[in-house]
Structures are given as C-alpha cells and as structure tokens.
Amino acid sequence: MTTRRLVLTRSAAIVGAASTGLLLPQIVRAQSGKVRVGFMLPYTGTYAQLGVAIENGVRMAIDEKGGKLGGREIEWFKVDDESEPSKGVENANKLVQRDKVDVIIGTVHSGVQMGIQKVARDSGVLSLIPNAGVLAATGALCAPNVFRTSFTNSQPTLALGKAMVDRGHKKAVWITWNYSAGAEAFAGFKESYTKAGGTIVKELAVPFPSVEFQALLTEIASIKPDAVACFFAGGGAAKFIRDYAAAGLKGKIPLYGSGFLTEGVLDAAGPAADGIVTTMHYSDSLDTPRNKQFRTAYASQFKMQPDVYAVQGYDTGLLLTMGAAAVKGDLNNKKALYAAMEGATIDSPRGKWKMSKSHNPIQDMYLRVVENKENKVIGVAAKALADSGAGCKMG
Ligand code: PHB
C-alpha cells in the first residue's frame, strides 16, 4: 500500500501568495506511488451525457498511451457536480482537500467552473478544463496551473454571425439559457452578426436548466425573424430542437446555433435536427485519418458515437500524458510541467492545435449542417481563432 503525504512548504506558500494575492499555502503532493486524478463532472441532470463523454475521452487517450502518466499508475476519483454552481467550491474541495488529487479534470457548466477556478487558484492544483467556456478562466482569472482544452463561450459564436449574414439572414432572434455561458455566447454572436450587417431584433432567455420553451417559441413565430440563433446543450438542446419543429417553425425560420446545439443529441432529436446550421471546433465528418481512427476506436470501445465533448476529453487526456511525460511523472516540477503543456501540439481529432498565451485552444471553427444524424462540414467559418484572453496576467 502506498501512503501519500500532503507537504506544505514555506516557499510554496509564497508562490501561492504571489499568484492569488491571498496568504494561502499552495499544495505540494508527495510524488511517489500513483497519480491521483479527479473528475469533477455532471453525471446527473441536463449535462449528464456530456460528463460521460468527457470521461470516456480522457480515459481513451490515456489508455492509448499505455494507461500511465509519466510512468506512474493512476488512481481515479469522481465527483458529480450536478451542474450546480452553488456547490462548486465544496465539490472541488472534495477532490482537492479530501481526495488529495494531483489534477482536477472538470467541468462542463461555466458557473460551476468558477468554483473550481477559485479552488485551483487558492491551492495551486493542476486544473484541466475539458468543456466549460467561461471567459474569466482564461481571462481575468487565468492562472499558470489552469489549462482549457475546449473553447471560450464566444469562440463558436464569433464565427456564426457572418456565416448567417452570408446566407442571407439579416434579422435574427437570439435565444438561450440565462447564465454566463449563454450570455458570453451571445456576446460573440452580437459582435460578429452586427459587424457583418445583421440586426438582432429580440433576445430571449429561459432560466437554466428549464426546458419550458413553448411561450418563447410562440413569440418567435409572431416576430417572424429571418433566422433564429441560440445556445443550448445536452438534454435541453434535444428538447429545444424537437419543440422548435413541433411549434411549426422548422422549414419556416432557419435555426442556427453555437454547435453544442447539435452535439450528442442527434439520436434524441431525430429528423427535427435536419438542416440546423452551426459553428463549432469539431465536426463528425472531418475527413482526416486522425478523426476516422478516433471515431472508429471510440465507437467500438463505448458502443456510441463520439461528439465534441468526447473529443475535448480525449484532448485533455493527451495534454495530461504529454505534460506528465515531460516531467517523468513528477507533477511537482511545475515550471517544466506548465512549459511542456504550453508548448504542446495536440494531435486532436478536430485537427492539430496549440494553447494561446492565456491557456485556451487556438483553433479553426467549422460551419456544419445536420444531415442524417451527422454534423457535416460545409465550410470553415474562422481560421486559427484565439480567445481574447482579456485581462489575463499569469503573474
Ligand atoms: C458552459 O456552461 O460553459 C457550457 C455548457 C455546455 C456546453 C458548452 C458550454 O455545451
């Protein structure tokens, strides 16, 4: 049996004070025995299937590299964050303080991520974000120990506005869930759509995770915009797509979205999803050997089709194996670990990508349309798009 110790050093405390402005000791784990990896993901609620896809992807990438991190075996820990922001700090501390993880992988929901971000900044624990797009995590609250392998919330929608105007839709209604991810997705849409000459005639929202869309769909029908653009994801996205068709809007008012709208939901949404156009940093149909090999392997291992969340999890696993290999498993060698992760080229199913200065992927955005339960690429809506990293000082 391995015993693990929590070592708090004076110099680590000083590092912590410098990076967060708080006099909290940073955590330095003893580097013997297994690497402790904690998943903090939604395993219940509207984002439950996203959490599962992310975990699958992480495990698959690490298994493909031999199932170890820098030569060390792994002990896994899991917390269901329920996409509940009010429990974010408490849940992150279950992994960091109770389970003493070396790395925390999470999460999906931007509000919950803010809790993880606080714990990551206070403790100095390595934090890998496999989805949540909240701008602050790689913006004003960025940190040397926090890396995102997914996107910022405005990245997909910054590519959406012009694509819609190019397709002839000059007046749009925007609809979303009323929380930070929806608001930040809207900011990207507003910037790109108005710059391209479009007008947003109405902004609509329901509270997260409500799926009571009926009243707002009736309102959209009466406004008669040229198109609708939205941010929804997971179970709620499938319901929105079905309700949109059931309200008689499909085929009359084209539906667009940040690409999460059509990720992991195409079986549940059925034909109601056909023709929806979205922008996203991945597409099922990317015609590369890398993507094909990934899709075949994932489908045979998990008996389901991968989606963007599986890809983001997979890339998180790749990043972690590369970082750990560079320091031969000594995750306390933080300077070398972060440098390796900052310099890494991730050979992703989405295409190769690298980190921006603020630790967020620089990546292409594809324009996609749903056809026969698949997101098909119909163009590249933005090349090598970086997040602004606004306010990020690594300190
Ligand atoms: C988020 O809350 O940041 C979020 C959640 C689900 C998505 C995308 C972003 O699909």
Side-chain angles (χ1 to χ4, degrees), residues 329-386:
D330 179 9
L331 300 185
N332 275 344
N333 187 355
K334 294 190 177 190
K335 208 167 162 230
L337 175 66
Y338 302 158
M341 292 170 66
E342 282 168 349
T345 298
I346 304 298
D347 187 11
S348 169
R350 74 183 97 166
K352 289 189 176 155
W353 63 266
K354 290 176 81 74
M355 292 283 171
S356 69
K357 283 210 171 65
S358 59
H359 296 180
N360 189 72
I362 302 169
Q363 53 194 340
D364 295 346
M365 289 289 148
Y366 302 101
L367 189 64
R368 310 125 24 113
V369 63
V370 177
E371 262 176 46
N372 296 325
K373 300 197 174 170
E374 204 187 45
N375 286 295
K376 291 234 159 80
V377 189
I378 51 173
V380 177
K383 274 296 244 187
L385 190 63

Side-chain angles (χ1 to χ4, degrees), residues 20-34:
T20 64
L22 295 169
L23 275 171
L24 286 170
Q26 299 266 297
I27 291 172
V28 180
R29 307 275 187 225
Q31 295 292 297
S32 58
K34 296 183 178 175

Side-chain angles (χ1 to χ4, degrees), residues 233-252:
K239 169 96 170 22
F240 182 72
I241 292 170
R242 286 196 308 265
D243 286 4
Y244 196 87
L249 299 178
K250 179 175 156 57
K252 288 203 187 118

Side-chain angles (χ1 to χ4, degrees), residues 183-300:
E184 293 179 1
F186 176 67
F189 176 64
K190 186 174 172 189
E191 183 179 330
S192 62
Y193 193 61
T194 52
K195 201 167 142 200
T199 307
I200 299 163
V201 290
K202 188 96 190 179
E203 287 168 53
L204 299 169
V206 289
F208 177 87
S210 165
V211 290
E212 298 302 320
F213 302 123
Q214 205 49 54
L216 299 185
L217 292 171
T218 306
E219 195 173 341
I220 291 172
S222 74
I223 297 171
K224 298 192 182 61
D226 296 344
V228 170
C230 68
F231 165 81
F232 289 111
K239 169 96 170 22
F240 182 72
I241 292 170
R242 286 196 308 265
D243 286 4
Y244 196 87
L249 299 178
K250 179 175 156 57
K252 288 203 187 118
I253 305 175
L255 180 57
Y256 287 79
S258 185
F260 308 107
L261 179 67
T262 57
E263 287 295 325
V265 304
L266 295 178
D267 279 330
D274 282 337
I276 296 176
V277 174
T278 61
T279 42
M280 180 97 299
H281 44 278
Y282 177 66
S283 176
D284 307 338
S285 78
L286 283 179
D287 193 11
T288 60
R290 185 76 184 93
N291 188 40
K292 286 186 177 152
Q293 174 260 326
F294 165 77
R295 295 194 68 85
T296 309
Y298 187 97
S300 91

